[in-house]
Amino acid sequence: MTMNPDSEMSNLTTPQPYMSPYLAGIGLGLVLLAAFVIMGRGLGASGAFTSFVAAGVGTVAPEYARSNTLYAEYLGAPGTNPLKDWLVFEIIGVVIGGLISGALAGRVRRDVEKGPRISVNKRLVFAFFGGGIMGIGSKLARGCTSGQALTGGAMLSIGSWAFMIAVFASAYAVAYLFRRQWQ
Amino acid sequence: MNAPFYKFGLFGEDASLVVALLIGIGFGFFLERAGFGSARKLAAQFYFTDLRVFKVMFTAIVTAMLGVFWLSWLGLLDYTQVAVPSTYLIPQIVGGLVFGIGFVMGGYCPGTCCVAAATGRLDGFVHLFGMISGILLFGELFSFVEGFYHSTPMGRATLPDLLQLPFGLTIFLIVLLALAGFAAAEWLEGKFAPSTEEAGS
């Protein structure tokens, strides 16, 4: 494989190299441990977006949302605000923390992440439908890479380890089909 | 020390939301540091060119797992008060298989697409929007999958129960597995990675 000319260009903005994956992993692990020690719970992401969806449906059609057992679980007791939720505040923090790290390292820029052989529009279509498929998968599994793989993984949950193995197995199985998007 | 602090009533719900924000900032910070704001870095895992996803995830799992183990052993943390995600085995395996397709196709997971969007990646933002749409679709069709969603419940089921091994030994085996995995990952990268690695691009 030849060098990607885009990566030469982006060096003009001199983004710093990423942290060693092992150091970053220790950092993430300590954040997760802090959540266990302080809160008695772990991290999450997809649950916050389920709260957003439930709150949205609950605003448009309150009675219908209450009758749907999935939304009802995320709406909480009547009269409470479904967005006043631990994971919702945590995910707002994730956005802020990501921005701080990116800004400090000179990595904040308008860009589309893709390989050289696919157009921007096609990549965005893949991103949308990939995101949609992932949304469905995360609901079936009751969580994602944060709530299941990291949190449940560290707490040795059987379902979380089964989920994690299934994610890697499936991603490797279909990677060849999507190679033009990345390579 | 009485941990988990929240479970022992050291602070209330409003303060817990401040904690959530701070924990989230730390989480997002290290996700971005790890390179997970970049779909190319994430997807590289599945083409063996950069195995960061595996290395970061397993280092994080091992770090937190050992922390929980030692703090419990020292009597500082009540392990039984820390939430373990309940197992619903078959829906979680099927969910994982679906999730993996979305991962390679979309390039992010639910947490990392937030970091990508926050650092200006348009595809991260679109992935996020797609994910919310997928969750809405799932919610609308929930009555059709509700039976399956609740199937094979196992409750608070952990690997030591499954393997019938002591807790400490299970943890030791996972650490060995992770170390073997890291060695294998370094070897694979040596075989598959392009010879000139552009850091941070």
Side-chain angles (χ1 to χ4, degrees), chain B residues 63-130:
Chain B
T63 303
M65 178 184 77
L66 288 175
V68 168
F69 177 75
W70 287 113
L71 290 176
S72 307
W73 189 78
L74 292 168
L76 300 173
L77 173 72
D78 184 353
Y79 170 81
T80 61
Q81 292 296 310
V82 180
V84 176
S86 294
T87 293
Y88 291 81
L89 193 59
I90 302 300
Q92 286 186 291
I93 291 172
V94 174
L97 295 174
V98 173
F99 190 99
I101 297 169
F103 201 164
V104 175
M105 197 175 168
Y108 298 101
C109 59
T112 52
C113 69
C114 298
V115 173
T119 51
R121 304 305 188 277
L122 185 58
D123 53 323
F125 192 77
V126 171
H127 182 107
L128 179 59
F129 187 68

Side-chain angles (χ1 to χ4, degrees), chain B residues 9-75:
Chain B
L10 267 71
F11 54 92
E13 198 204 339
D14 286 349
S16 84
L17 298 178
V18 178
V19 173
L21 191 72
L22 295 175
I23 295 262
I25 289 173
F27 186 27
F29 183 89
F30 282 109
L31 285 178
E32 204 287 331
R33 289 279 122 168
F36 292 177
S38 161
R40 272 178 296 177
K41 283 277 173 201
L42 289 162
Q45 171 71 39
F46 304 110
Y47 302 93
F48 298 106
T49 50
D50 189 335
L51 300 177
R52 278 176 174 270
V53 173
F54 172 81
K55 292 181 200 169
V56 173
M57 271 182 66
F58 273 80
T59 310
I61 288 171
V62 165
T63 303
M65 178 184 77
L66 288 175
V68 168
F69 177 75
W70 287 113
L71 290 176
S72 307
W73 189 78
L74 292 168

